[in-house]
Amino acid sequence: MRITNAALFLLFPVLLMNTAYAQDDPNLGIIPAPASLVKSSGTFTFSKSTIIKASQPNDKAVALFKDFILINRGLNNKVIKYSPKTKGSGTQVVLTARGSEALPAEGYKLIIAPRKITVIGKGAGLFYGIQTLIQLFPIDKVATANLPCLIITDEPRFGYRGMMLDVSRHFFNVAQVKKVIDLMAFYKLNNFHWHLVDGVGWRIQIKKYPKLTEVGGTRLQTMFGSNRDWPDGLPYTGFYTQDEIRDVVKYAADRFINVVPEIEMPAHSDAALRAYPELMCTPDTSIKNPARTTGIYCPTEETFTFLENVLTEVMDLFPSKYIHIGGDEANKQPWKESAFCQSLIKQLNLKDENALQSYFIQRIEKFLNSKGRSIIGWDEILEGGLAPNATVMSWTGEAGGIAAAQQKHNVIMTPQTTGLYFDHYQSRSPLEPVSFGRYAIFSETYNYEPVPKVLTAEEKKYIIGVQGNLWTEYVPSVAKLQYQILPRLFALSEIAWSKPEKKDYKTFFELRLAKHFERLDAMHYNYRVPTAFDVIDTMMIGAQFTMEPKTFIPGARIFYTLNGRDPLDTDLPYEAPVVFNIPPGEKRTFKTLVITPSGRRSLPTSAVMFNQAPITATAYTANNPGLKFTLVKGNFTSIDELDYAPADTSGITKTLETTEFRKTRPNSGIIYEGYISVLTDGIYNFYTATYNDTQLSIDNIKLNENEGAISLLKGYHKIKIKYFYNAPAVGVRRRNTPSPRIYMIAPGTVDKRLVAADVLFN
Ligand code: ACM
């Protein structure tokens, strides 16, 4: 159940969509925003007779530009060797490193004049200049393209601009991975972090250890879906051969993307340990549970030899300076229970198991350093002491990154708390496809600032970059993969490349994204279509409303309903603001849906408008803290079942925590009743943070999904909460939350969780 907040509801002015969007934008629609863009008068007309002149016609970047012109414009323009001495008579595009000496690494200059386009840059710089130029072409495949005259001087903010793809939880083949790499290249990201190894699957062929892929490349079943506690019973296999890996690495390098392989250790290693159980402290050949991610190598000489052999093959495949060795979420219980580990701790004079992990990572670091490589590890590698040359990827939050920078270690920021985990939900709508149970809202991603203010100017230099991560527990298909990363990858691109002073969410969202959605359509990528209102589900109390839904996707249409059904393309097309006068005591529901020209659909939005007279307070005066509770017997799957269940016991409780009840009753329903005290007259919003296990009524009015607002006068009001919990089956994750979580937003305040003895009385 979700009940959302009317107070957050925004009414937008109507915006007429037309193709002028990019011209209205100071960055001309370019993502990421360039460091400097100066418009000048006139246009350059690109036609079939435009000649492409390149200092190095065989340069891969030049070939990719020619491919773009061929595939996207249907033109086969001539490419010739550039010589500054020869002047051409027609229009020309010059791609050259000449004049790039003063440009910073990866920087470029793009000059568009009426008869000549010049892209100046070397290596990645030339490639990025071409990417910017490509973005200025219209999406429509008209034979001639008019490009605005301008001068762009550009360079990246961060040297490391990353995107991580987990191919362990779900496997994606080479073609699918290349489509991610293409996107990264278009948007100037330069490090593809390939999470090749994890508990559920080992995805890289290692010739010395064939069982890694033969055994570790298969899991027996998958837990996925809204019923995610129930595995599907279908074996799942996949891995890359070494030839395929080389192919991907080359494909990425051609696009100036370095591939950082991740070989997880010491934990998240169940897949390897299924294949080679002798590398565990206590060999256990019975590990079959694909969800187990605490499998940890034993720090024996045999393990180090194994890992060094694996890493030797990995280094042979990946020229990357960085090798990611994981290091996160190690459950060190097996080390605590292992006589070998305990004696090693004593022998090495280590403090504890954290120090043993540090020893483990440092040994691997030493090995990789000796081969000229550097390690990256997740922020837990700080525990027990950082390896001397390690780069830290700060994921649990920013604290690890801050601590590492203060210790003069390089840091890549990718906190799960700031919108950079692309496996998280993109909105609070219950209709979002099943994702990892947190939220990463688009604006949060865009607004993230990777350099923490608490660092000194010197320490800030250690923040070398930023990364978005896609974990794939809930990503079983390419469509879902692309849905999760788009449009968030655009926001990541701008965080990673553009100067903070160039960032502006409003123009980014309302003007610049438009053309990129069109481009995604042209390239057949799936993406999440922004909804017609920012706040997807809401309820408003009042007598008159004007609804002005909005889409920023060129040519997209909005359809709406007034009868509570989710809209279809057969419903009312939105053309002008819709005015509602709601009779006293009545409700209206306005639902919208955005459909793009390519047929992609947004999630529906729902706004309930209720002309509700404020409810007067009850005459209750006893003021006894806590609520009455009645336990009912049963193993419930829906709230309504509580109405027919036999009573168990009852009493007064001063908390909504069910810990005590659960000690004696693993499955139960609870009905709480009493009064809630509200301190002012006004509109109160209530919502619950659980799936379907909680129902709330105030003054006998059920506050259902999408209908959580109620107008109350100051004083006591009746409250009733119905809730059930049940014990998870052995080996599976809990199906519902262990206690009801109910939040109230009083007028002019923020969300506050209700705790029984707090504002609740009996
Ligand atoms: C991680 O998300 N466990 C790095």
Side-chain angles (χ1 to χ4, degrees):
M1 165 160 128
R2 280 199 61 256
I3 308 168
T4 43
N5 175 18
L8 293 175
F9 197 86
L10 301 173
L11 292 177
F12 296 107
V14 177
L15 184 103
L16 292 175
M17 294 314 306
N18 59 46
T19 50
Y21 52 85
Q23 276 65 40
D24 297 339
D25 168 34
N27 294 302
L28 289 174
I30 297 163
I31 294 177
S36 158
L37 186 160
V38 180
K39 296 180 196 175
S40 51
S41 59
T43 51
F44 175 99
T45 301
F46 192 101
S47 70
K48 67 178 190 301
S49 54
T50 300
I51 295 179
I52 301 168
K53 297 180 175 176
S55 301
Q56 293 179 304
N58 296 329
D59 191 302
K60 188 72 193 176
V62 176
L64 289 172
F65 181 61
K66 187 168 161 56
D67 284 355
F68 163 78
I69 297 297
L70 188 63
I71 296 164
N72 294 63
R73 322 291 324 153
L75 300 178
N76 193 7
N77 295 67
K78 226 167 44 194
V79 179
I80 62 168
K81 172 100 180 146
Y82 170 58
S83 155
K85 290 192 199 103
T86 31
K87 299 262 178 297
S89 55
T91 54
Q92 52 183 310
V93 177
V94 173
L95 308 173
T96 181
R98 180 179 279 267
S100 67
E101 300 74 22
L103 292 173
E106 304 184 284
Y108 67 90
K109 198 159 176 174
L110 167 64
I111 304 153
I112 305 183
R115 300 191 63 74
K116 183 177 174 186
I117 294 176
T118 315
V119 185
I120 301 169
K122 56 177 174 297
L126 186 69
F127 180 78
Y128 293 139
I130 291 171
Q131 295 314 309
T132 299
L133 174 59
I134 285 174
Q135 287 194 19
L136 291 167
F137 276 81
I139 305 294
D140 290 344
K141 289 188 185 177
V142 283
T144 55
N146 291 324
L147 309 183
C149 290
L150 50 70
I151 299 178
I152 290 176
T153 315
D154 201 6
E155 65 182 287
R157 179 179 182 200
F158 293 109
Y160 184 105
R161 305 180 298 279
M163 172 75 211
M164 188 218 75
L165 178 65
D166 166 15
V167 291
S168 175
R169 276 29 179 262
H170 279 97
F171 179 73
F172 294 94
N173 68 27
V174 167
Q176 294 161 343
V177 167
K178 284 181 178 173
K179 280 208 67 146
V180 175
I181 289 174
D182 284 341
L183 267 183
M184 291 179 61
F186 297 147
Y187 293 96
K188 304 187 175 92
L189 300 175
N190 66 352
N191 277 282
F192 175 56
H193 170 177
W194 210 359
H195 187 80
L196 290 160
V197 169
D198 211 308
V200 291
W202 184 285
R203 308 287 175 214
I204 172 173
Q205 178 187 31
I206 299 293
K207 294 203 168 145
K208 201 171 178 88
Y209 300 107
K211 281 196 288 178
L212 282 174
T213 43
E214 283 165 18
V215 177
T218 296
R219 66 162 178 266
L220 299 180
Q221 53 193 357
T222 304
M223 295 198 210
F224 178 79
S226 53
N227 56 347
R228 62 191 192 190
D229 300 325
W230 293 286
D232 63 8
L234 299 171
Y236 183 97
T237 305
F239 70 91
Y240 308 102
T241 65
Q242 295 203 346
D243 283 345
E244 286 175 321
I245 298 261
R246 280 193 196 92
D247 177 36
V248 170
V249 168
K250 162 130 188 18
Y251 187 87
D254 283 345
R255 289 153 182 78
F256 295 90
I257 291 173
N258 173 55
V259 184
V260 180
E262 181 179 352
I263 304 297
E264 274 267 22
M265 62 189 78
H268 281 277
S269 300
D270 309 60
L273 297 171
R274 279 203 305 276
Y276 295 98
E278 60 273 25
L279 302 177
M280 279 187 272
C281 288
T282 314
D284 173 3
T285 49
S286 69
I287 296 177
K288 292 209 170 60
N289 182 349
R292 237 189 86 168
T293 51
T294 52
I296 189 164
Y297 293 109
C298 206
T300 56
E301 288 310 308
E302 196 184 354
T303 291
F304 287 113
T305 303
F306 165 83
L307 287 172
E308 287 179 9
N309 288 337
V310 167
L311 289 169
T312 299
E313 290 194 34
V314 167
M315 283 186 282
D316 194 39
L317 294 168
F318 294 91
S320 173
K321 172 183 139 194
Y322 294 119
I323 307 288
H324 200 306
I325 50 74
D328 59 320
E329 298 180 309
N331 174 352
K332 302 180 188 94
Q333 191 60 28
W335 288 1
K336 287 194 176 126
E337 291 168 12
S338 150
F340 169 80
C341 292
Q342 293 309 311
S343 105
L344 189 62
I345 286 173
K346 280 209 188 81
Q347 185 195 324
L348 297 171
N349 204 16
L350 300 174
K351 184 162 165 264
D352 55 14
E353 290 75 22
N354 283 341
L356 185 56
Q357 164 156 319
S358 177
Y359 158 79
F360 193 117
I361 302 290
Q362 293 198 32
R363 261 191 79 156
I364 296 294
E365 175 178 76
K366 215 168 181 178
F367 173 72
L368 289 170
N369 286 172
S370 76
K371 311 286 178 202
R373 309 300 180 99
S374 304
I375 66 163
I376 300 179
W378 300 109
D379 55 53
E380 292 95 325
I381 65 167
L382 282 146
E383 294 163 6
L386 263 183
N389 306 309
T391 295
V392 171
M393 218 169 237
S394 193
W395 76 275
T396 51
E398 291 191 304
I402 291 169
Q406 287 166 341
Q407 294 175 42
K408 302 192 188 320
H409 281 255
N410 283 341
V411 171
I412 295 155
M413 281 295 189
T414 179
Q416 62 167 350
T417 47
T418 62
L420 292 182
Y421 264 45
F422 294 171
D423 52 325
H424 292 177
Y425 280 100
Q426 301 191 61
S427 79
R428 293 178 183 264
S429 168
L431 296 175
E432 281 287 352
V434 174
S435 295
F436 194 84
R438 282 175 172 245
Y439 301 100
I441 308 296
F442 185 69
S443 56
E444 194 186 350
T445 308
Y446 185 83
N447 290 322
Y448 178 58
E449 167 47 48
V451 181
K453 285 201 179 66
V454 297
L455 296 178
T456 64
E458 189 51 34
E459 290 161 353
K460 284 178 177 164
K461 293 186 190 142
Y462 290 99
I463 310 293
I464 61 166
V466 61
Q467 177 168 293
N469 293 337
L470 182 64
W471 302 99
T472 56
E473 285 97 329
Y474 303 114
V475 183
S477 66
V478 175
K480 182 76 186 327
L481 184 164
Q482 295 176 353
Y483 181 93
Q484 291 301 115
I485 66 174
L486 291 166
R488 294 196 275 211
L489 183 134
F490 299 148
L492 171 68
S493 153
E494 189 132 319
I495 303 169
W497 180 279
S498 306
K499 307 270 179 284
E501 58 274 19
K502 283 297 226 168
K503 281 172 64 185
D504 176 55
Y505 183 70
K506 193 169 158 59
T507 56
F508 184 78
F509 188 71
E510 298 186 4
L511 298 176
R512 265 194 297 146
L513 281 183
K515 187 170 179 183
H516 300 270
F517 286 125
E518 286 184 299
R519 192 177 185 207
L520 293 177
D521 280 332
M523 297 188 296
H524 306 291
Y525 280 92
N526 190 25
Y527 58 89
R528 182 180 185 277
V529 175
T531 47
F533 290 107
D534 259 7
V535 178
I536 294 183
D537 297 321
T538 194
M539 183 181 188
M540 296 167 293
I541 308 285
Q544 192 186 64
F545 299 92
T546 303
M547 287 295 167
E548 301 180 59
K550 195 154 131 178
T551 177
F552 299 105
I553 299 184
R557 301 180 74 197
I558 299 172
F559 295 86
Y560 66 94
T561 61
L562 304 173
N563 59 4
R565 271 193 315 102
D566 288 345
L568 300 169
D569 55 5
T570 43
D571 283 301
L572 293 158
Y574 176 76
E575 264 139 29
V578 187
V579 177
F580 291 89
N581 288 297
I582 318 282
E586 293 195 17
K587 281 181 194 162
R588 299 286 182 270
T589 302
F590 183 75
K591 288 195 169 188
T592 72
L593 180 78
V594 178
I595 305 184
T596 72
S598 63
R600 296 197 194 288
R601 286 152 192 253
S602 71
L603 293 180
T605 69
S606 166
V608 176
M609 298 160 277
F610 187 17
N611 188 357
Q612 182 221 332
I615 303 174
T616 48
T618 64
Y620 172 78
T621 54
N623 210 23
N624 300 320
L627 291 175
K628 281 191 192 132
F629 71 86
T630 307
L631 287 180
V632 290
K633 289 183 191 160
N635 188 349
F636 302 102
T637 55
S638 95
I639 278 291
D640 292 341
E641 292 164 10
L642 270 62
D643 295 338
Y644 311 102
D648 181 348
T649 181
S650 61
I652 303 290
T653 175
K654 294 198 175 155
T655 172
L656 290 178
E657 289 298 324
T658 63
T659 322
E660 281 306 311
F661 298 143
R662 280 185 286 121
K663 282 183 186 160
T664 49
R665 295 165 175 83
N667 307 299
S668 187
I670 313 173
I671 299 164
Y672 299 93
E673 285 174 287
Y675 299 88
I676 181 166
S677 157
V678 305
L679 299 179
T680 56
D681 298 351
I683 295 168
Y684 288 76
N685 284 270
F686 292 87
Y687 67 94
T688 69
T690 49
Y691 297 112
N692 59 354
D693 49 21
T694 311
Q695 187 183 79
L696 172 70
S697 306
I698 304 281
D699 292 326
N700 300 325
I701 298 171
K702 274 187 200 165
L703 300 183
N704 293 321
E705 183 180 330
N706 309 341
E707 298 192 32
I710 188 163
S711 179
L712 301 174
L713 295 181
K714 178 180 168 186
Y716 290 100
H717 292 263
K718 274 194 192 162
I719 184 168
K720 185 168 179 179
I721 301 162
K722 295 203 286 183
Y723 170 77
F724 67 86
Y725 62 83
N726 29 51
V730 176
V732 299
R733 283 161 68 171
R734 176 169 292 287
R735 277 215 291 278
N736 58 2
T737 54
S739 298
R741 281 191 277 158
I742 297 173
Y743 296 85
M744 177 174 82
I745 306 169
T749 67
V750 294
D751 314 35
K752 174 178 174 9
R753 185 166 170 186
L754 294 187
V755 180
D758 179 356
V759 290
L760 303 175
F761 300 88
N762 67 84

